[in-house]
């Protein structure tokens, strides 16, 4: 039986195990192929029974981790036991990073989103894009802290956001925090309640998906008509990127007049959201593209890959996510010496040091260098760089004659009089 178990653990098929055992004078120990199948079924049954742990026992284990685990900071347990506890997790390095990066780059958008199918709880995390690093095989995203709730109610998210705000309020209070999310009700209401009048953005991708689903399944429109609606709303000269309020209203009225069947949905469900959380932030921050929550999506994907796309029990789930975040943070520091999955970007390359010098530093000195890099506010060095690293100062793409306003060859060149 031990030989069968060993073969099953090595991912061998039943017929392979049988073929391996029979020629080795083990016929007396193995009756037939069915015996191997029976052993395999029995092992699976034992594993399935072992995996069925009581969630209350898992929560009890998490409660003990508050004092023993660096990642588990708070477990919210209601007095009347009306809902399962929520778990708030982060490390001290994550809080230090968010304070530093929000101060260095006030334009940073904190993305928030839920992740599904990781276990018996939802995983909701804050993610930012760190502009000083560029991913070699991944993006700039960095997960900051997570909450593990059983529901998506406003009360649950209010507790999480209040906890988070209290940890960053002392350092990050001289400017408004910019928050981005999808249009989930409980999440949206909690954000507006905890952060007084925040600059909140909605993910354009989620809005597009919702509009596409509605016009495809609810309205009698052709494919060309659906494409025209999406283009009128989201293209470079569409409603979402309107130049001002008047332009926004004009384009909205044109869309409703062109597609009357879509007008009711647009006026009730879409127009206000587009104006407040897409168009206004787009104009206010002079963005070159509409905001999407891709950083959260990318981090959620990394969680699922680490879990092998399978749901896990709570303690194991927390450990796996903690390992992902620790590796992420280590790679950020390793970029200072040119190792890891990240590399310093643009003007931040001046912070790079040699391996020999890095290894000669103490942990405190290494942390000082990392904080100096994270707090650097200069995101552009005004240099143009070739593929091999050659750099020159930025110049205009076209050397125009002084006073020239028009590019066409037939256009007259107008110069200001010098008297």
């Amino acid at each position: 039986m031990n030989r069968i178990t060993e073969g099953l653990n090595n991912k061998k098929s039943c017929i392979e195990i049988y073929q391996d055992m029979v020629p080795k004078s083990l016929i007396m120990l193995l009756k037939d192929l069915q015996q191997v199948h029976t052993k395999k079924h029995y092992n699976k049954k034992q594993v399935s029974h072992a995996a069925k742990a009581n969630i209350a026992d898992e929560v009890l284990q998490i409660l003990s981790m508050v004092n023993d685990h660096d990642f588990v900071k708070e477990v919210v347990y209601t007095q009347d036991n009306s809902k399962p506890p929520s778990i708030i997790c982060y490390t001290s390095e994550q809080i230090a990073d968010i304070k530093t990066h929000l101060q260095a780059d006030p334009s940073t958008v904190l993305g928030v989103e839920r992740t599904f199918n990781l276990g018996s709880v939802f995983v909701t995390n804050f993610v930012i894009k760190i502009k000083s690093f560029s991913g070699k095989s991944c993006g700039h995203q960095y997960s900051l802290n997570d909450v593990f709730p059983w529901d998506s109610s406003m009360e649950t998210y209010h507790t999480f956001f209040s906890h988070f705000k209290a940890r960053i309020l002392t350092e990050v209070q001289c400017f408004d925090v910019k928050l981005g999310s999808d249009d989930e009700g409980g999440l949206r209401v909690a954000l507006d309640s905890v952060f007084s009048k925040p600059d909140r953005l909605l993910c354009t991708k989620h809005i597009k998906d919702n509009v596409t689903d509605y016009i495809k399944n609810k309205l009698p429109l052709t494919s060309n008509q659906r494409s025209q609606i999406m283009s009128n709303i989201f293209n470079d000269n569409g409603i979402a990127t309107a130049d001002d309020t008047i332009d926004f209203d004009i384009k909205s009225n044109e869309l409703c007049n062109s597609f009357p069947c879509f007008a009711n949905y647009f006026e009730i469900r879409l127009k206000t959201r587009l104006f407040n959380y897409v168009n206004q932030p787009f104009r206010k921050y002079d963005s070159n593209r509409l905001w999407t929550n891709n950083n959260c999506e990318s981090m959620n994907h990394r969680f699922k890959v680490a879990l092998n796309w399978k749901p896990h029990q709570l303690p194991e789930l927390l450990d796996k996510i903690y390992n992902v975040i620790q590796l992420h943070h280590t790679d950020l520091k390793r970029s200072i010496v040119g190792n890891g999955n990240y590399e310093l970007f643009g003007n931040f390359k001046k912070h790079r040091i040699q391996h020999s010098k890095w290894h000669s530093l103490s942990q405190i000195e290494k942390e000082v260098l990392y904080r100096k890099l994270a707090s650097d506010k200069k995101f552009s060095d005004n240099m143009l760089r070739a593929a091999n690293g050659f750099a020159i100062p930025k110049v205009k793409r076209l050397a125009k004659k002084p006073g020239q306003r028009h590019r066409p060859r037939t256009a007259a060149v107008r110069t200001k009089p010098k008297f």
Side-chain angles (χ1 to χ4, degrees), residues 83-84 86 114 122 124 148-153 155-157 184:
K83 61 177 65 176
S86 297
R114 284 196 301 169
F122 301 113
T124 304
F148 298 79
W150 265 269
D151 61 5
S152 57
S153 65
E155 293 83 0
T156 299
Y157 284 123
E184 185 181 335

Side-chain angles (χ1 to χ4, degrees), residues 19 35 98 102 109 198 300 314 333 346 354 374 384 386 410-411 417:
Q19 290 173 347
Q35 187 175 358
I98 188 173
L102 287 178
V109 178
N300 293 343
L314 267 177
K333 289 186 175 181
Q354 298 297 324
L384 292 174
T410 57

Side-chain angles (χ1 to χ4, degrees), residues 297-319:
E297 298 285 356
S298 180
M299 184 56 68
N300 293 343
H301 176 76
R302 299 187 70 178
F303 288 159
K304 292 178 180 178
V305 170
L307 297 171
N308 197 24
W309 300 88
K310 296 179 181 179
H312 284 57
Q313 296 180 3
L314 267 177
E316 187 179 1
L317 174 62
L318 264 64
D319 283 333

Side-chain angles (χ1 to χ4, degrees), residues 197-253:
K197 297 182 179 179
D199 289 338
R200 189 161 61 81
L201 298 85
L202 286 180
C203 176
T204 312
K205 179 184 181 302
H206 286 87
I207 297 178
K208 285 182 179 179
D209 292 342
N210 292 337
V211 175
T212 300
D213 181 70
Y214 178 80
I215 62 179
K216 183 177 181 180
N217 299 319
K218 302 293 184 179
L219 300 181
L221 298 173
T222 64
S223 176
N224 290 336
Q225 289 174 326
R226 294 196 297 267
S227 299
Q228 185 62 42
I229 290 176
M230 299 300 294
S231 177
N232 290 348
I233 298 175
F234 298 107
N235 70 359
D236 294 338
N237 194 32
I239 297 173
T241 57
D243 296 330
D244 50 41
T245 304
I246 297 176
D247 188 32
F248 183 90
D249 290 335
I250 291 175
K251 291 178 178 178
S252 298
N253 293 334

